[in-house]
Amino acid sequence: MRHTLLFAALLLLCFSCSTKTESENSILELVPTNASFVFKINDFETLINELSSNEIFDALEGQEPFIQIKKSITSLKYIADKKKGLLAFSSDSTLIEYTYITTDSLKIRDGDSLQNKSIETLSYDNLKIIKYEIENSIFYSIHLDNYWVISSSQTLLQNIITAAETSAIDESLQQFYNVANKDKVMNIWLNIHDENYKPLFDHLLGADQNISNFASTISLDLTLNDTEISLNGIAQANGTKNLFLNLFKNTKPIQNKTSILAPSDAEYLTSFGLDDFKLYTANKIAINQPATTLDSLLNTVEEIGVADYDNEHVLFLRTFGTETLLDYINEEKISTEEFGSNEIWGLKPNLKIFEPLIPLIGEHTFEYASIIENTFLFSTSKSTLESVISKIKTGDTFDKTNLFKNAENKLTSSSSVLSISNSKGFSSLLEKSVSKTLAETFRESNLNDYVFGTQIIADAGFFHTNFIIKKITAEENSNSVSSVFEVKFDTDLATLPQFVTNHSNGRKEIIVQDQENMLYLISNSGKILWKKQLNGTIQGKVQQVDLFKNGKLQLAFTTNNEFLILDRTGKEVEPFTKKFSGGNLNPLAVFDYEGRKNYRFVVTQDKKVLMYDGKGDIVKGFTYDTAEASIVAAPQHFRIGKKDYIVFKLENGQLKITNRVGKTRVNVKDKFSFSDNDIKLYQNKFTFTSVEGILYQIDTQGKISSSNLNLAKDHGIDATSKTLAIMNDNVLTIRDKKIQLELGVYSKPTVFYLNDKIYVSVTDIQNQKIYLFDSQAESIPNFPIFGSSVIDMADINANKQPEFVFKDQENSIRVFKIR
């Protein structure tokens, strides 16, 4: 069903070149009998102007199959003063041909200035055919009664002459012409079922195209502006019974509601509304789809929804009675697991219950199921179903998205078929149901900020159709927060989750470890991609490096007694699996002084400092291999101007600042009782706090300044180069602005810098409430009231919206996004 929009849009593109026509009913006698597409152009000049400024056509016209269409009508650009007319496309096994019929006087554009022009008069059936050769184009014209007929084919023109008074006008074409809205710039008629018209589709869409079983004809009116194409009309399923639309014959549209259950980041959602499932079953049998013994189990189903989510299909069956289907599932389930207040059932493989739905959803089977109120949910993996349920509970659903709302405003509230998708989802739908050629065209079109919508409404033997491609307008409400996904684990977590980059697509993923030392990599939709058993708990953060300078990233870290680097699939990269007797390793430090991926990996153990290069060898030029006392944290690297500074915190209170070869760069004479906060580079000074609550700053000359802030022992700080945040008891300070929060037990503040914006988050662990502020200490509203401290921030879906992750409970994590 979504196909039609493409074909219409596809053929519209050609008018970047030219067109025209109109007249009485007899004009239809001149339309070739094998014409698959007919365009009734009511205002040629307006059409060309609107197409020339339309962003969608601009994105598509340089790609197949639009190139073919434009090429086939190149000769029309030599016709001047086009106003109205009919443009018809037909094809044989080798060529796409056009026929243009108009009452306008035929005039060659700029005839005297054209190069390589010749005009020849031919004779056929006592009529004169004019042959034009202009530059690289050849076309033919004839004047019949009140009409000029122009064609790219002499044979086609001769056939029109022969058949003009004897051939019957296609009934559907006649209806189209009679009811076409003359107030629209153009009306479109498509004959897509008859085998005589198949060659044109094969030319345009490839031999794999599969559209002829959708409907018999479609009539559409075109509306467009700079950022939108809208096609509205009627489809018919006449002649043969074996057409997709006949599945909805005599049914009535219903209000589609699966959008309130589908996840917000689904690539597409397609909903089928059935007011009477028994009638659908009868229609299915009538179009030679096999009956099944389980058809009756679905008699209470009134809506079937399919969402493409994280490269999986999620099926929704909304019912007005759950008992019969629930009894069936209880007999066929092999496991039951609690997920919050819901049950997730593991199903026997290859259940037959999905066979009655094959004409609508394709040949899919599902292994897990659940139920929310009167709707059954099915998915291939348990993690996907858990993610969908979590999103439903947090309200992070498809109906809330700007994508859906932009389409909803253009479509009616009830449908027999409703499909809404983003660009990626639309391409996926095209590949499955139209052709790979057209799917690839839209993949390459860069229409990523557009919504694609299709609606079909069954009505007394006709099917009203609405198709839109529309640029997504910006959301009006900003600074709102919503859930992206939640992941629960069987074992409590041992490390804080953090974002890492997927080098294949640039998006963010999450890495986290549980208390059984199992390491997990989680996709940007909450799916566990892999897990790896480690021998110990990761110390500090995982670092990402490009060891081989080829754009592929690895994960580097230390455990209590190992230094490891893993590739993207979780495999160990040799020779970087290094074991250390005695354990007690600090977190790994990774330095890239010049930003050229000439990495230095620094492993510290007690007083030992071991610096490795990108090949896993000890860097011999680094001389600070033994510290004066035990090192209490990972060393840190800072760049100020053109100089490098490596900073070590020692157990004896000494702050050691060296250059890149280990020689002392800044001599710090005092000793400090370091808090457990990291050292920050704030205002180009090394900034840290003591357990006594004193804020220290040391410049590059070793000058020390201090401020006794009377901070509590468990205070927290974080900073960027220009923003310092301090959490002390229940007072948060951001750039000297104090915010008094309610009494509680607070985490350290976290300062995030993303997309030119700075955010500060802090959590009241006691009352389980998260606070989020911008750099001016203004509160971000509508923040969820649950969870633990925000851990990391990134743009997880590459959509220019900050997203952040935190531990929700001891065994779960949750990701939110800020709009």
Side-chain angles (χ1 to χ4, degrees):
M1 41 279 154
R2 327 147 188 121
H3 337 333
T4 317
L5 172 58
L6 289 314
F7 312 142
L10 202 171
L11 294 170
L12 291 174
L13 218 296
C14 62
F15 301 115
S16 314
C17 305
S18 53
T19 324
K20 67 188 194 179
T21 255
E22 208 234 354
S23 180
E24 311 147 10
N25 286 358
S26 58
I27 194 174
L28 300 182
E29 297 173 359
L30 304 179
V31 175
T33 56
N34 66 336
S36 301
F37 295 96
V38 176
F39 299 91
K40 182 176 183 291
I41 300 162
N42 301 311
D43 188 334
F44 188 89
E45 183 178 357
T46 300
L47 176 64
I48 293 301
N49 289 338
E50 290 184 353
L51 287 173
S52 64
S53 63
N54 185 272
E55 293 181 4
I56 302 165
F57 285 100
D58 184 57
L60 294 171
E61 66 177 340
Q63 301 184 51
E64 294 290 353
F66 300 92
I67 294 174
Q68 287 189 61
I69 300 169
K70 290 187 67 175
K71 183 178 180 181
S72 71
I73 60 169
T74 298
S75 55
L76 278 179
K77 69 183 180 180
Y78 301 116
I79 309 301
D81 300 328
K82 298 181 288 293
K83 297 180 179 67
K84 298 179 180 181
L86 291 182
L87 178 67
F89 285 92
S90 50
S91 178
D92 58 19
S93 59
T94 58
L95 295 172
I96 297 174
E97 306 286 7
Y98 78 85
T99 303
Y100 180 54
I101 312 164
T102 181
T103 56
D104 300 336
S105 297
L106 178 63
K107 184 187 296 183
I108 300 299
R109 184 183 300 278
D110 301 324
D112 295 335
S113 63
L114 293 172
Q115 302 296 316
N116 303 319
K117 179 186 70 173
S118 69
I119 301 175
E120 179 182 356
T121 301
L122 308 175
S123 178
Y124 179 79
D125 197 18
N126 297 320
L127 295 172
K128 292 182 179 179
I129 296 176
I130 309 299
K131 178 183 178 182
Y132 297 87
E133 291 189 50
I134 302 177
E135 297 176 334
N136 295 320
S137 293
I138 299 176
F139 59 101
Y140 306 83
S141 73
I142 191 170
H143 191 259
L144 292 172
D145 297 326
N146 295 322
Y147 305 104
W148 282 100
V149 184
I150 304 164
S151 180
S152 57
S153 166
Q154 180 180 350
T155 301
L156 195 59
L157 203 57
Q158 291 173 347
N159 290 340
I160 291 172
I161 294 170
T162 302
E165 296 182 359
T166 59
S167 61
I169 298 172
D170 186 286
E171 182 180 350
S172 174
L173 179 59
Q174 183 74 68
Q175 291 175 345
F176 156 75
Y177 192 84
N178 290 342
V179 301
N181 187 344
K182 296 180 181 180
D183 293 331
K184 301 294 183 180
V185 293
M186 186 169 69
N187 319 110
I188 306 159
W189 178 78
L190 301 91
N191 189 329
I192 64 175
H193 181 70
D194 196 306
E195 279 296 314
N196 292 329
Y197 310 111
K198 187 175 182 295
L200 181 58
F201 294 112
D202 288 346
H203 272 304
L204 296 175
L205 306 176
D208 69 320
Q209 64 88 8
N210 181 28
I211 64 169
S212 58
N213 291 328
F214 171 64
S216 52
T217 61
I218 301 175
S219 303
L220 299 165
D221 296 328
L222 170 68
T223 304
L224 72 167
N225 57 41
D226 289 355
T227 59
E228 181 178 343
I229 296 174
S230 177
L231 293 158
N232 310 102
I234 291 175
Q236 292 178 282
N238 299 330
T240 177
K241 294 181 178 179
N242 300 333
L243 296 172
F244 177 84
L245 286 185
N246 278 329
L247 287 169
F248 303 94
K249 187 177 181 179
N250 299 324
T251 65
K252 296 178 181 179
I254 68 166
Q255 189 170 2
N256 307 89
K257 296 182 179 180
T258 51
S259 61
I260 66 176
L261 300 175
S264 63
D265 44 353
E267 305 288 357
Y268 68 74
L269 172 65
T270 299
S271 166
F272 305 97
L274 302 168
D275 68 316
D276 187 345
F277 195 88
K278 293 180 183 179
L279 189 54
Y280 157 77
T281 300
N283 288 338
K284 177 168 66 84
I285 295 170
I287 67 169
N288 296 326
Q289 291 285 339
T292 78
T293 57
L294 301 181
D295 282 348
S296 61
L297 290 181
L298 300 175
N299 280 346
T300 61
V301 171
E302 56 185 349
E303 184 179 5
I304 301 160
V306 181
D308 184 27
Y309 174 56
D310 196 26
N311 297 318
E312 287 189 27
H313 287 94
V314 180
L315 174 66
F316 304 89
L317 299 182
R318 183 165 67 87
T319 73
F320 57 81
T322 61
E323 184 176 354
T324 303
L325 187 53
L326 191 58
D327 288 343
Y328 171 82
I329 290 176
N330 283 331
E331 291 178 1
E332 300 297 329
K333 68 185 180 184
I334 57 177
S335 65
T336 300
E337 181 176 325
E338 292 290 331
F339 182 74
S341 58
N342 294 85
E343 288 186 349
I344 293 180
W345 307 302
L347 305 176
K348 294 178 182 177
N350 302 315
L351 287 186
K352 303 298 183 182
I353 192 62
F354 307 111
E355 291 182 356
L357 307 176
I358 285 176
L360 299 179
I361 70 171
E363 296 186 7
H364 297 293
T365 188
F366 302 91
E367 298 176 14
Y368 294 90
S370 186
I371 186 171
I372 292 181
E373 295 182 354
N374 64 334
T375 302
F376 291 87
L377 287 63
F378 300 88
S379 70
T380 304
S381 68
K382 184 177 70 171
S383 62
T384 294
L385 197 54
E386 289 175 343
S387 179
V388 172
I389 292 171
S390 295
K391 286 177 175 290
I392 293 171
K393 289 185 175 181
T394 59
D396 190 22
T397 48
F398 199 71
D399 64 310
K400 305 287 198 316
T401 63
N402 215 20
L403 181 82
F404 178 84
K405 291 177 180 178
N406 272 256
E408 183 184 34
N409 291 336
K410 296 291 182 176
L411 304 172
T412 60
S413 59
S414 297
S415 313
S416 302
V417 181
L418 177 67
S419 183
I420 296 174
S421 61
N422 60 20
S423 178
K424 181 180 178 182
F426 191 54
S427 297
S428 177
L429 289 170
L430 287 177
E431 184 165 347
K432 295 169 186 173
S433 55
V434 183
S435 82
K436 292 180 180 179
T437 299
L438 203 55
E440 187 60 30
T441 294
F442 275 83
R443 283 195 188 96
E444 297 296 325
S445 66
N446 197 31
L447 294 171
N448 298 326
D449 51 353
Y450 281 77
V451 60
F452 300 78
T454 299
Q455 184 176 49
I456 298 171
I457 303 166
D459 181 18
F462 293 91
F463 299 91
H464 299 281
T465 56
N466 299 308
F467 307 104
I468 62 164
I469 306 177
K470 178 184 181 297
K471 194 165 192 174
I472 302 171
T473 55
E475 294 184 40
E476 295 181 1
N477 58 324
S478 59
N479 288 343
S480 64
V481 180
S482 60
S483 175
V484 178
F485 62 79
E486 178 185 13
V487 182
K488 290 191 175 181
F489 302 87
D490 296 332
T491 304
D492 288 346
L493 299 179
T495 66
L496 298 178
Q498 70 173 91
F499 287 120
V500 292
T501 300
N502 178 339
H503 58 249
S504 63
N505 57 24
R507 295 185 175 183
K508 297 294 181 180
E509 295 169 341
I510 295 171
I511 197 158
V512 70
Q513 187 181 25
D514 67 22
Q515 290 189 1
E516 293 182 354
N517 295 328
M518 187 67 73
L519 183 65
Y520 300 86
L521 184 67
I522 301 165
S523 76
N524 67 330
S525 62
K527 182 177 181 179
I528 295 176
L529 300 175
W530 54 256
K531 52 187 177 180
K532 179 181 178 64
Q533 184 66 56
L534 301 180
N535 295 323
T537 302
I538 292 175
Q539 306 298 300
K541 291 195 113 182
V542 174
Q543 312 281 340
Q544 279 194 283
V545 295
D546 181 1
L547 270 180
F548 307 108
K549 302 181 181 181
N550 59 3
K552 296 182 179 180
L553 301 178
Q554 297 82 38
L555 306 167
F557 55 88
T558 56
T559 65
N560 181 60
N561 63 350
E562 286 185 300
F563 163 36
L564 298 101
I565 297 183
L566 308 179
D567 67 15
R568 161 148 181 81
T569 65
K571 296 180 181 177
E572 296 177 13
V573 179
E574 296 299 335
F576 290 97
T577 301
K578 299 181 182 295
K579 298 183 182 296
F580 300 83
S581 60
N584 199 33
L585 297 183
N586 285 313
L588 178 69
V590 181
F591 305 152
D592 182 11
Y593 301 123
E594 306 292 344
R596 298 176 182 173
K597 302 178 182 179
N598 296 319
Y599 299 107
R600 296 295 182 259
F601 301 97
V602 185
V603 177
T604 54
Q605 181 187 35
D606 194 20
K607 296 181 181 181
K608 294 180 183 178
V609 181
L610 300 103
M611 180 177 284
Y612 297 92
D613 62 18
K615 296 181 180 180
D617 298 325
I618 290 290
V619 178
K620 296 179 180 179
F622 188 76
T623 60
Y624 190 63
D625 55 8
T626 304
E628 293 80 358
S630 294
I631 301 166
V632 297
Q636 295 173 256
H637 169 256
F638 299 100
R639 183 93 170 190
I640 303 176
K642 296 182 179 181
K643 294 183 178 180
D644 296 290
Y645 299 81
I646 302 176
V647 180
F648 299 82
K649 291 197 299 187
L650 305 185
E651 193 175 46
N652 65 359
Q654 185 177 353
L655 186 66
K656 186 74 174 183
I657 304 178
T658 75
N659 60 16
R660 67 166 66 179
V661 297
K663 301 295 183 182
T664 297
R665 168 146 275 167
V666 179
N667 188 15
V668 182
K669 297 179 179 179
D670 292 0
K671 292 187 176 181
F672 312 92
S673 53
F674 298 108
S675 69
D676 60 0
N677 294 284
D678 287 338
I679 294 172
K680 302 294 178 180
L681 188 63
Y682 172 60
Q683 298 174 335
N684 272 347
K685 297 177 182 179
F686 306 103
T687 304
F688 57 95
T689 56
S690 69
V691 293
E692 296 87 4
I694 300 173
L695 178 71
Y696 290 97
Q697 290 190 284
I698 302 175
D699 65 17
T700 55
Q701 304 303 313
K703 182 180 178 180
I704 303 172
S705 60
S706 63
S707 299
N708 189 351
L709 303 181
N710 295 313
L711 303 175
K713 185 176 181 180
D714 57 355
H715 70 273
I717 72 166
D718 198 9
T720 62
S721 61
K722 296 181 180 180
T723 300
L724 175 66
I726 301 174
M727 190 71 220
N728 183 44
D729 289 333
N730 64 321
V731 177
L732 175 64
T733 303
I734 303 174
R735 289 181 170 178
D736 296 326
K737 295 182 180 180
K738 294 184 181 294
I739 308 158
Q740 186 157 343
L741 306 175
E742 63 182 86
L743 294 176
V745 177
Y746 286 88
S747 66
K748 295 179 181 180
T750 307
V751 181
F752 300 108
Y753 182 85
L754 184 71
N755 294 336
D756 299 323
K757 291 184 178 181
I758 292 175
Y759 299 93
V760 179
S761 69
V762 67
T763 303
D764 180 355
I765 300 170
Q766 177 179 321
N767 297 309
Q768 292 197 320
K769 186 172 183 178
I770 300 175
Y771 295 88
L772 191 67
F773 301 89
D774 62 20
S775 60
Q776 303 303 314
E778 295 294 329
S779 176
I780 304 297
N782 303 323
F783 204 75
I785 307 175
F786 45 75
S788 187
S789 74
V790 172
I791 306 304
D792 202 358
M793 179 175 277
D795 190 0
I796 191 171
N797 285 311
N799 55 12
K800 297 184 180 179
Q801 291 181 343
E803 303 190 359
F804 52 92
V805 61
F806 66 90
K807 285 178 64 176
D808 185 18
Q809 301 169 19
E810 286 303 311
N811 68 333
S812 68
I813 61 174
R814 193 184 294 267
V815 173
F816 281 85
K817 61 186 173 186
I818 305 172
R819 290 189 179 92

